[in-house]
Amino acid sequence: MDNKNTEILSKYFDELSLTELYEIIKARVQIFVVEQDCPYQDLDDVDYRSLHIFSRNDGKITAYLRAFQKDSETVQVGRVLSLEHGKGHGGKLLHDGIKSIKEKMNPKKIYIEAQTHAIGFYEREGFNICSEEFLEDGIPHKSMELTFDGGRSH
């Protein structure tokens, strides 16, 4: 797929079209349930209160993440995926997604429970490890945070 036809969208649940919601769920199941062989309850009601950020190329989702309020100062990011590995979709989405989260949600920090193999991916955007390794659904993870200091723009 051609990156120049890729658009990044940022929508709250009620703003998603039925097609966008279907494509998001299909992508999440493809990556987390099928590719990672991890049966779990993906539809957890957090989607209703999340900002859904995704890239789309010719109507198809290429990368996705969701963001929701963890506490009064912290936004948690999760369900981060890229359907085409190694093409830069995930990195661009994370970079633009952080900007969108700052604009729409205004957090003091962003928190993520990152799969250990993806630590470097998040470190490139300024995330720092803030926990020991732990297992989530049998997959090693570490908690990471991206803190915004007063005037620093991302």
Side-chain angles (χ1 to χ4, degrees):
M1 282 189 190
D2 188 357
N3 273 343
K4 70 181 178 200
N5 293 329
T6 299
E7 60 181 332
I8 304 239
L9 300 156
S10 174
K11 297 183 176 189
Y12 285 99
F13 185 83
D14 291 341
E15 299 170 322
L16 293 169
S17 72
L18 287 175
T19 301
E20 289 167 338
L21 179 60
Y22 181 86
E23 291 297 321
I24 287 167
I25 293 168
K26 185 168 75 171
R28 289 182 356 189
V29 169
Q30 180 180 335
I31 296 298
F32 300 118
V33 177
V34 177
E35 186 176 298
Q36 294 183 358
D37 193 23
C38 183
Y40 76 107
Q41 182 60 44
D42 179 52
L43 302 178
D44 58 4
D45 294 332
V46 174
D47 289 319
Y48 291 122
R49 60 186 177 93
S50 293
L51 180 63
H52 301 268
I53 302 169
F54 54 100
S55 59
R56 186 168 63 187
N57 187 307
D58 296 326
K60 299 294 181 195
I61 302 271
T62 56
Y64 169 85
L65 65 81
R66 72 176 182 185
F68 56 93
Q69 209 67 45
K70 179 177 170 59
D71 59 42
S72 63
E73 297 185 343
T74 308
V75 166
Q76 183 166 343
V77 168
R79 303 290 200 269
V80 181
L81 66 86
S82 177
L83 288 167
E84 296 181 337
H85 306 298
K87 295 195 175 187
H89 295 299
K92 179 164 178 36
L93 181 82
L94 182 62
H95 182 80
D96 291 353
I98 290 168
K99 287 180 184 177
S100 187
I101 290 166
K102 283 177 68 176
E103 288 170 16
K104 293 187 174 194
M105 303 176 86
N106 196 30
K108 289 197 167 47
K109 66 182 170 183
I110 298 176
Y111 169 84
I112 189 164
E113 294 177 351
Q115 292 184 8
T116 302
H117 71 84
I119 295 290
F121 173 75
Y122 297 106
E123 286 176 331
R124 284 192 290 279
E125 287 299 325
F127 283 85
N128 295 301
I129 296 168
C130 61
S131 78
E132 296 297 317
E133 190 170 89
F134 61 93
L135 289 179
E136 174 98 14
D137 297 319
I139 299 169
H141 285 70
K142 288 187 180 181
S143 297
M144 300 184 81
E145 290 181 344
L146 174 63
T147 304
F148 304 112
D149 56 3
R152 180 180 158 235
S153 66
H154 185 74

